Each structure stands twice: as structure tokens, then as C-alpha cells.
Amino acid sequence: MCSLRRALRLLVALLVCAGGVARAEPYAGSLFDAHLHYNDEALAAFPLDDVLARMQRAGVHAIIANSRPNDGTKALASAKAQAAAAGVTVLPFVRLYRNRADYSGWFADESIYAMVQDELARGTAAGPYRGLGEFHLYDSANANGPVAARLMRLAQDKDLVVLAHVDDTAIDLLLAHAPKTRLIWAHSGIGGAPVERVRELMRRHPTLIGELSYRPGLTDDSGHLSAAWKALFAEFPTRFVLGSDTWINERWASYGDIMAGYRAWLSQLSPAIAAQIAHGNARALFADKR
Ligand SMILES: [Zn+2]
């Protein structure tokens, strides 16, 4: 009787233990949203109080803010008391787009360069702009456009961080203009550049940082982090960051779910690497500057 009870207790203990291993608790620490847009169509549907509350509920304590046009960024930067109350630090970036037409020609448009200079001179209520972007290049050859090259050099000279949605070929081209520019690669290859190619770029360009929203192949359908990406994070623990990429209003509507998705796979990494990707690496980009 006594030994039977002991055997049952042992069995229950083993089952509880096995369950604990299979179901890791989500990462519960701080998050830094290093790819956020607050575009004009979001302003009406998701007012300032609402987006800050979404960040607070999701455990997001800092954001790279940019918007088309730059009004949304300025609104976030001006809401100092509300952002402080929500525990959110706003790092403003200059967007290169005044409207959707600018997406396709900014890299050769001198008026964009002038607009960026003007914005940088003005700054925001939250302090100077800290970066440029997000910008897009749908044809990597346009990384050699005259304004693209000048903006990369401007970022290098002024120690601004660049947020770029480009392919792997354009990473090499952009950094050839200004090899010391700190460049956040939005999505780390949204077209699915092989992990080996991402590794090659990380090794070649010490100022390259990979952002992980929409990255194909990062996790499988059941949410397990791929072994190849785990190995890449282990090799470059200081080089990856997270972002919501709220490029359409649906992303604001699902902001909490997006962050919960990150928390689920971060828990599959060592606590130290998880914390670096979750917030430490993005914080380091803006620490002790200016
Ligand atoms: Zn984006």
C-alpha cells in the first residue's frame, strides 16, 4: 500500500516535470519595438492613448517611431507625459515618405534629401531624430541611387541608425557607401534569403542588425524556432532585434498578439540571448549617444 502510494506520487511528479519541460513559459521580460509605424491612417483609428496602452499591455518599453508622413512620429514624440505614464521611451526616426508616391522614387529625389535635412534640423519634442527610415528598395540596384548614397553617408556622419527594407544584395550596396553606418535590416530578408546568406552578411558587416518581423522560416507552424536561426542567434547574440511593423491598421489591431508571438519563441532561447533580442540589443544602439 505504502509503496503503491509512493509509486503513484513518483508518477505524478514525473508527469508534472515532463509537462513543465514541454510547455516553456513565455518570455516575460521587457520588449523593445524596433520597427513601428504610426501612419496617418492609423492616427484616427488608433489614437495616441490607445497605441500607448497597447504598448504598455504588451510590455513594450521603448519604440523606434516612424510614420508616413512624419506627423505620427511627432505626435508620439510630443506626448511626453502620456508616454512616460505608459513607461514607453520614444526614439524618433525620419521617414523618407511624405506620401505613397515617394516609396518608388526617393532614392533619386533631391527634394527627399532636403526634407530629411529640414526634419533633422528641427528635431522633435522627444529630442533629436535618432535615425532614418524605414525606407524600401524594391530593386536592389537603386541602392546606388544618388540620394540613397547621400543618405547613407549622412547617417554615418551624424551617427544616425538606418532602418531599411531591402534585399540581401542591397545590404552590400548600401553599406559600401558608408560602412560604419548602423543599419537595421527590416525583416532580415523578407524574401527568404537563406540563413547562410544572412550569416555571411552578419560576418561581413559588423554594423548590420537584423530585425525579425515577417522573416520567413524563423519558426514552424507550431511556433518552434528553427534550429538554423537558433544557431545564428547563438553566433550573433548582439545583432538581432524585434519589431511590430505596424504598416497597416490590422497590425495595430493585433499588436498584443504580435508581441505574444515573440514572447513564445523567445522562451525557446537561453534567458540571456532572449533578453538581448527582446530589448538589450536595440537599447545598446541608442545608449550613450548624444
Ligand atoms: Zn515597416
Side-chain angles (χ1 to χ4, degrees):
M1 179 68 180
C2 197
S3 64
L4 177 64
R5 206 175 284 162
R6 214 176 326 149
L8 278 173
R9 260 205 306 261
L10 184 64
L11 183 64
V12 168
L14 282 171
L15 285 172
V16 168
C17 188
V21 169
R23 227 173 344 98
E25 288 298 316
Y27 165 80
S30 185
L31 293 175
F32 189 126
D33 185 345
H35 183 167
L36 177 146
H37 307 288
Y38 193 36
N39 293 332
D40 52 0
E41 65 271 19
L43 279 159
F46 299 92
L48 263 177
D49 280 343
D50 182 75
V51 295
L52 287 167
R54 283 170 194 272
M55 294 170 207
Q56 187 173 22
R57 285 198 299 274
V60 169
H61 294 128
I63 59 169
I64 285 177
N66 73 107
S67 63
R68 162 188 40 79
N70 285 301
D71 302 358
T73 303
K74 288 175 193 166
L76 280 165
S78 299
K80 284 158 92 172
Q82 291 152 282
V88 175
T89 301
V90 176
L91 286 316
F93 274 36
V94 183
R95 195 82 190 262
L96 309 189
Y97 310 145
R98 298 155 297 194
N99 49 54
R100 286 196 184 274
D102 284 338
Y103 281 60
S104 52
W106 66 269
F107 43 83
D109 184 341
E110 288 296 333
S111 74
I112 297 282
Y113 191 82
M115 181 269 281
V116 170
Q117 291 277 42
D118 192 42
E119 287 293 343
L120 290 177
R122 255 185 292 180
T124 77
Y129 283 102
R130 310 301 292 271
L132 307 179
E134 182 192 23
F135 63 68
H136 300 73
L137 289 171
Y138 301 113
D139 177 350
S140 40
N142 290 328
N144 287 332
V147 171
R150 281 181 78 193
L151 286 172
M152 286 300 292
R153 287 194 287 270
L154 178 73
Q156 182 171 267
D157 292 346
K158 293 192 174 291
D159 204 15
L160 297 164
V161 177
V162 168
L163 175 60
H165 173 135
V166 298
D167 67 11
D168 52 305
T169 304
I171 291 291
D172 281 326
L173 297 175
L174 287 171
L175 285 169
H177 300 309
K180 293 196 181 107
T181 300
R182 295 171 298 154
L183 194 159
I184 300 175
W185 187 10
H187 320 297
S188 300
I190 200 165
V195 176
E196 269 317 303
R197 174 68 173 142
V198 180
R199 174 176 282 111
E200 179 191 333
L201 291 172
M202 286 285 161
R203 285 180 178 166
R204 184 180 307 152
H205 304 293
T207 58
L208 181 63
I209 301 288
E211 185 273 322
L212 296 163
S213 60
Y214 288 107
R215 168 62 220 195
L218 186 63
T219 58
D220 66 17
D221 289 345
S222 52
H224 288 109
L225 200 53
S226 92
W229 278 94
K230 245 186 202 175
L232 193 63
F233 295 156
E235 184 177 346
F236 298 103
T238 62
R239 304 280 294 281
F240 289 93
V241 299
L242 305 175
S244 59
D245 192 10
T246 44
W247 65 289
I248 45 173
N249 283 356
E250 285 78 2
R251 297 286 284 182
W252 276 116
S254 56
Y255 193 85
D257 293 337
I258 293 166
M259 291 303 158
Y262 283 133
R263 290 184 181 282
W265 67 249
L266 284 169
S267 69
Q268 297 164 40
L269 296 165
S270 76
I273 293 181
Q276 280 178 290
I277 295 175
H279 67 94
N281 296 339
R283 280 189 198 285
L285 277 175
F286 303 103
D288 306 313
K289 306 279 180 199
R290 291 190 186 89

